[in-house]
Short mmCIF file of all heavy atoms in Angstrom, two decimals:
data_model
loop_
_atom_site.label_atom_id
_atom_site.label_comp_id
_atom_site.label_asym_id
_atom_site.label_seq_id
_atom_site.Cartn_x
_atom_site.Cartn_y
_atom_site.Cartn_z
N ARG Y 127 44.98 38.14 8.10
CA ARG Y 127 44.58 39.40 8.75
C ARG Y 127 43.60 39.02 9.85
O ARG Y 127 42.41 38.88 9.60
CB ARG Y 127 43.92 40.37 7.76
CG ARG Y 127 44.76 40.65 6.51
CD ARG Y 127 46.01 41.45 6.82
NE ARG Y 127 46.93 41.46 5.70
CZ ARG Y 127 46.97 42.40 4.76
NH1 ARG Y 127 46.12 43.40 4.82
NH2 ARG Y 127 47.85 42.33 3.79
N VAL Y 128 44.16 38.82 11.05
CA VAL Y 128 43.37 38.25 12.13
C VAL Y 128 42.67 39.35 12.92
O VAL Y 128 43.29 40.35 13.30
CB VAL Y 128 44.28 37.39 13.04
CG1 VAL Y 128 43.53 36.94 14.27
CG2 VAL Y 128 44.78 36.18 12.26
N VAL Y 129 41.37 39.18 13.15
CA VAL Y 129 40.54 40.18 13.82
C VAL Y 129 39.90 39.56 15.06
O VAL Y 129 38.85 38.92 14.97
CB VAL Y 129 39.42 40.70 12.87
CG1 VAL Y 129 38.64 41.82 13.54
CG2 VAL Y 129 40.00 41.16 11.54
N PRO Y 130 40.52 39.75 16.24
CA PRO Y 130 39.93 39.17 17.45
C PRO Y 130 38.65 39.89 17.87
O PRO Y 130 37.76 39.29 18.45
CB PRO Y 130 41.01 39.37 18.52
CG PRO Y 130 42.21 39.92 17.83
CD PRO Y 130 41.78 40.44 16.50
N ASP Y 131 38.58 41.20 17.56
CA ASP Y 131 37.45 41.98 18.06
C ASP Y 131 36.87 42.86 16.94
O ASP Y 131 35.77 42.62 16.47
CB ASP Y 131 37.92 42.84 19.25
CG ASP Y 131 36.79 43.63 19.87
OD1 ASP Y 131 35.62 43.20 19.75
OD2 ASP Y 131 37.06 44.69 20.46
N ARG Y 132 37.64 43.90 16.52
CA ARG Y 132 37.14 44.83 15.51
C ARG Y 132 38.24 45.23 14.54
O ARG Y 132 39.41 45.25 14.92
CB ARG Y 132 36.62 46.12 16.18
CG ARG Y 132 35.31 45.93 16.88
CD ARG Y 132 34.85 47.16 17.64
NE ARG Y 132 33.62 46.83 18.35
CZ ARG Y 132 32.40 46.92 17.82
NH1 ARG Y 132 32.25 47.38 16.60
NH2 ARG Y 132 31.33 46.56 18.50
N ALA Y 133 37.85 45.57 13.33
CA ALA Y 133 38.78 46.12 12.34
C ALA Y 133 37.97 46.95 11.35
O ALA Y 133 36.76 46.81 11.26
CB ALA Y 133 39.52 45.00 11.61
N GLU Y 134 38.68 47.81 10.64
CA GLU Y 134 38.02 48.63 9.62
C GLU Y 134 38.81 48.49 8.32
O GLU Y 134 40.03 48.57 8.31
CB GLU Y 134 37.99 50.10 10.08
CG GLU Y 134 37.31 51.02 9.09
CD GLU Y 134 37.17 52.45 9.63
OE1 GLU Y 134 36.93 52.59 10.86
OE2 GLU Y 134 37.30 53.39 8.84
N ILE Y 135 38.10 48.26 7.24
CA ILE Y 135 38.72 48.15 5.92
C ILE Y 135 38.29 49.37 5.10
O ILE Y 135 37.10 49.67 5.02
CB ILE Y 135 38.29 46.86 5.21
CG1 ILE Y 135 38.68 45.63 6.03
CG2 ILE Y 135 38.93 46.77 3.83
CD1 ILE Y 135 38.18 44.31 5.43
N ASP Y 136 39.25 50.04 4.50
CA ASP Y 136 38.97 51.19 3.64
C ASP Y 136 39.02 50.73 2.19
O ASP Y 136 40.09 50.38 1.68
CB ASP Y 136 40.01 52.29 3.91
CG ASP Y 136 39.77 53.53 3.05
OD1 ASP Y 136 38.78 53.55 2.30
OD2 ASP Y 136 40.59 54.46 3.15
N LEU Y 137 37.87 50.73 1.53
CA LEU Y 137 37.81 50.29 0.13
C LEU Y 137 37.93 51.47 -0.83
O LEU Y 137 37.86 51.28 -2.04
CB LEU Y 137 36.49 49.54 -0.14
CG LEU Y 137 36.26 48.26 0.66
CD1 LEU Y 137 34.88 47.69 0.34
CD2 LEU Y 137 37.34 47.22 0.37
N GLY Y 138 38.16 52.69 -0.28
CA GLY Y 138 38.17 53.90 -1.11
C GLY Y 138 36.76 54.45 -1.20
O GLY Y 138 35.91 53.90 -1.90
N GLY Y 139 36.51 55.53 -0.44
CA GLY Y 139 35.17 56.12 -0.43
C GLY Y 139 34.13 55.29 0.28
O GLY Y 139 32.94 55.61 0.24
N ARG Y 140 34.56 54.22 0.90
CA ARG Y 140 33.61 53.31 1.57
C ARG Y 140 34.36 52.50 2.62
O ARG Y 140 35.40 51.89 2.32
CB ARG Y 140 32.99 52.40 0.52
CG ARG Y 140 32.16 51.26 1.08
CD ARG Y 140 31.37 50.56 0.01
NE ARG Y 140 30.00 51.04 -0.01
CZ ARG Y 140 29.08 50.65 -0.89
NH1 ARG Y 140 29.41 49.80 -1.85
NH2 ARG Y 140 27.86 51.09 -0.81
N ARG Y 141 33.82 52.51 3.84
CA ARG Y 141 34.41 51.71 4.93
C ARG Y 141 33.58 50.44 5.13
O ARG Y 141 32.36 50.45 5.00
CB ARG Y 141 34.37 52.48 6.25
CG ARG Y 141 35.17 53.76 6.28
CD ARG Y 141 34.98 54.41 7.64
NE ARG Y 141 33.57 54.61 7.97
CZ ARG Y 141 33.05 54.52 9.19
NH1 ARG Y 141 33.81 54.22 10.22
NH2 ARG Y 141 31.76 54.73 9.39
N VAL Y 142 34.29 49.39 5.48
CA VAL Y 142 33.62 48.17 5.95
C VAL Y 142 34.13 47.89 7.35
O VAL Y 142 35.35 47.83 7.57
CB VAL Y 142 33.89 46.96 5.03
CG1 VAL Y 142 33.15 45.73 5.55
CG2 VAL Y 142 33.46 47.27 3.59
N LEU Y 143 33.21 47.76 8.29
CA LEU Y 143 33.57 47.46 9.67
C LEU Y 143 33.40 45.97 9.91
O LEU Y 143 32.35 45.40 9.61
CB LEU Y 143 32.67 48.25 10.63
CG LEU Y 143 32.52 49.75 10.33
CD1 LEU Y 143 31.53 50.39 11.30
CD2 LEU Y 143 33.88 50.43 10.42
N LEU Y 144 34.47 45.37 10.41
CA LEU Y 144 34.41 43.95 10.78
C LEU Y 144 34.34 43.85 12.29
O LEU Y 144 35.06 44.56 12.98
CB LEU Y 144 35.67 43.21 10.29
CG LEU Y 144 36.07 43.37 8.82
CD1 LEU Y 144 37.30 42.51 8.53
CD2 LEU Y 144 34.93 43.01 7.90
N TRP Y 145 33.48 43.01 12.80
CA TRP Y 145 33.47 42.78 14.22
C TRP Y 145 32.98 41.39 14.58
O TRP Y 145 32.22 40.77 13.87
CB TRP Y 145 32.70 43.84 15.02
CG TRP Y 145 31.54 44.52 14.37
CD1 TRP Y 145 31.62 45.60 13.53
CD2 TRP Y 145 30.16 44.20 14.48
NE1 TRP Y 145 30.35 45.97 13.14
CE2 TRP Y 145 29.44 45.13 13.71
CE3 TRP Y 145 29.44 43.22 15.17
CZ2 TRP Y 145 28.05 45.11 13.59
CZ3 TRP Y 145 28.06 43.20 15.07
CH2 TRP Y 145 27.39 44.14 14.28
N HIS Y 146 33.51 40.96 15.75
CA HIS Y 146 33.13 39.68 16.33
C HIS Y 146 32.06 39.96 17.38
O HIS Y 146 32.34 40.62 18.38
CB HIS Y 146 34.37 39.03 16.96
CG HIS Y 146 34.06 37.82 17.79
ND1 HIS Y 146 33.39 36.72 17.29
CD2 HIS Y 146 34.33 37.53 19.09
CE1 HIS Y 146 33.26 35.81 18.25
NE2 HIS Y 146 33.82 36.28 19.35
N PRO Y 147 30.82 39.52 17.13
CA PRO Y 147 29.73 39.88 18.05
C PRO Y 147 29.63 38.98 19.27
O PRO Y 147 28.65 39.07 20.00
CB PRO Y 147 28.49 39.74 17.15
CG PRO Y 147 28.85 38.66 16.20
CD PRO Y 147 30.34 38.75 15.98
N GLY Y 148 30.64 38.15 19.51
CA GLY Y 148 30.59 37.21 20.62
C GLY Y 148 30.21 35.83 20.12
O GLY Y 148 29.81 35.67 18.97
N PRO Y 149 30.32 34.81 20.98
CA PRO Y 149 30.00 33.45 20.55
C PRO Y 149 28.55 33.34 20.10
O PRO Y 149 27.66 33.95 20.70
CB PRO Y 149 30.23 32.61 21.81
CG PRO Y 149 31.03 33.47 22.73
CD PRO Y 149 30.69 34.89 22.40
N GLY Y 150 28.32 32.56 19.06
CA GLY Y 150 26.96 32.40 18.55
C GLY Y 150 26.83 31.13 17.74
O GLY Y 150 26.79 30.03 18.29
N HIS Y 151 26.80 31.29 16.41
CA HIS Y 151 26.74 30.12 15.52
C HIS Y 151 27.99 29.26 15.69
O HIS Y 151 27.95 28.04 15.62
CB HIS Y 151 26.57 30.61 14.09
CG HIS Y 151 26.69 29.54 13.06
ND1 HIS Y 151 25.77 28.53 12.91
CD2 HIS Y 151 27.64 29.32 12.10
CE1 HIS Y 151 26.14 27.74 11.92
NE2 HIS Y 151 27.27 28.18 11.41
N THR Y 152 29.15 29.94 15.86
CA THR Y 152 30.40 29.29 16.27
C THR Y 152 31.02 30.19 17.34
O THR Y 152 30.42 31.19 17.73
CB THR Y 152 31.39 29.16 15.09
OG1 THR Y 152 31.87 30.48 14.74
CG2 THR Y 152 30.76 28.51 13.87
N GLY Y 153 32.23 29.85 17.76
CA GLY Y 153 32.93 30.72 18.69
C GLY Y 153 33.72 31.81 18.00
O GLY Y 153 34.37 32.63 18.66
N HIS Y 154 33.68 31.83 16.65
CA HIS Y 154 34.57 32.74 15.93
C HIS Y 154 33.88 33.46 14.77
O HIS Y 154 34.51 33.80 13.77
CB HIS Y 154 35.80 31.97 15.43
CG HIS Y 154 35.46 30.84 14.49
ND1 HIS Y 154 35.39 29.53 14.88
CD2 HIS Y 154 35.15 30.84 13.18
CE1 HIS Y 154 35.05 28.78 13.85
NE2 HIS Y 154 34.90 29.54 12.81
N ASP Y 155 32.58 33.71 14.89
CA ASP Y 155 31.87 34.41 13.82
C ASP Y 155 32.39 35.84 13.70
O ASP Y 155 32.65 36.52 14.69
CB ASP Y 155 30.36 34.46 14.12
CG ASP Y 155 29.77 33.07 14.32
OD1 ASP Y 155 29.74 32.31 13.35
OD2 ASP Y 155 29.37 32.76 15.46
N LEU Y 156 32.52 36.30 12.45
CA LEU Y 156 32.93 37.68 12.18
C LEU Y 156 31.91 38.24 11.17
O LEU Y 156 31.63 37.60 10.17
CB LEU Y 156 34.34 37.69 11.59
CG LEU Y 156 35.18 38.96 11.71
CD1 LEU Y 156 35.38 39.37 13.16
CD2 LEU Y 156 36.55 38.74 11.05
N VAL Y 157 31.36 39.43 11.48
CA VAL Y 157 30.38 40.03 10.57
C VAL Y 157 31.00 41.23 9.88
O VAL Y 157 31.98 41.81 10.37
CB VAL Y 157 29.08 40.43 11.31
CG1 VAL Y 157 28.52 39.25 12.08
CG2 VAL Y 157 29.30 41.63 12.21
N ALA Y 158 30.43 41.60 8.73
CA ALA Y 158 30.90 42.76 7.97
C ALA Y 158 29.75 43.74 7.85
O ALA Y 158 28.67 43.40 7.37
CB ALA Y 158 31.37 42.32 6.58
N HIS Y 159 29.99 44.97 8.28
CA HIS Y 159 28.97 46.03 8.27
C HIS Y 159 29.41 47.10 7.28
O HIS Y 159 30.53 47.61 7.38
CB HIS Y 159 28.86 46.59 9.71
CG HIS Y 159 27.88 47.71 9.85
ND1 HIS Y 159 27.99 48.66 10.84
CD2 HIS Y 159 26.78 48.05 9.13
CE1 HIS Y 159 26.99 49.52 10.73
NE2 HIS Y 159 26.25 49.18 9.71
N VAL Y 160 28.54 47.41 6.34
CA VAL Y 160 28.80 48.48 5.37
C VAL Y 160 27.89 49.64 5.77
O VAL Y 160 26.73 49.70 5.36
CB VAL Y 160 28.50 48.02 3.93
CG1 VAL Y 160 29.02 49.04 2.93
CG2 VAL Y 160 29.09 46.64 3.66
#
Side-chain angles (χ1 to χ4, degrees):
R127 306 291 167 94
V128 172
V129 185
D131 183 26
R132 286 175 184 273
E134 181 174 324
I135 301 176
D136 181 2
L137 298 177
R140 171 169 261 177
R141 297 178 305 145
V142 181
L143 311 177
L144 309 182
W145 31 276
H146 170 56
H151 172 67
T152 69
H154 60 260
D155 304 293
L156 203 58
V157 307
H159 178 206
V160 191

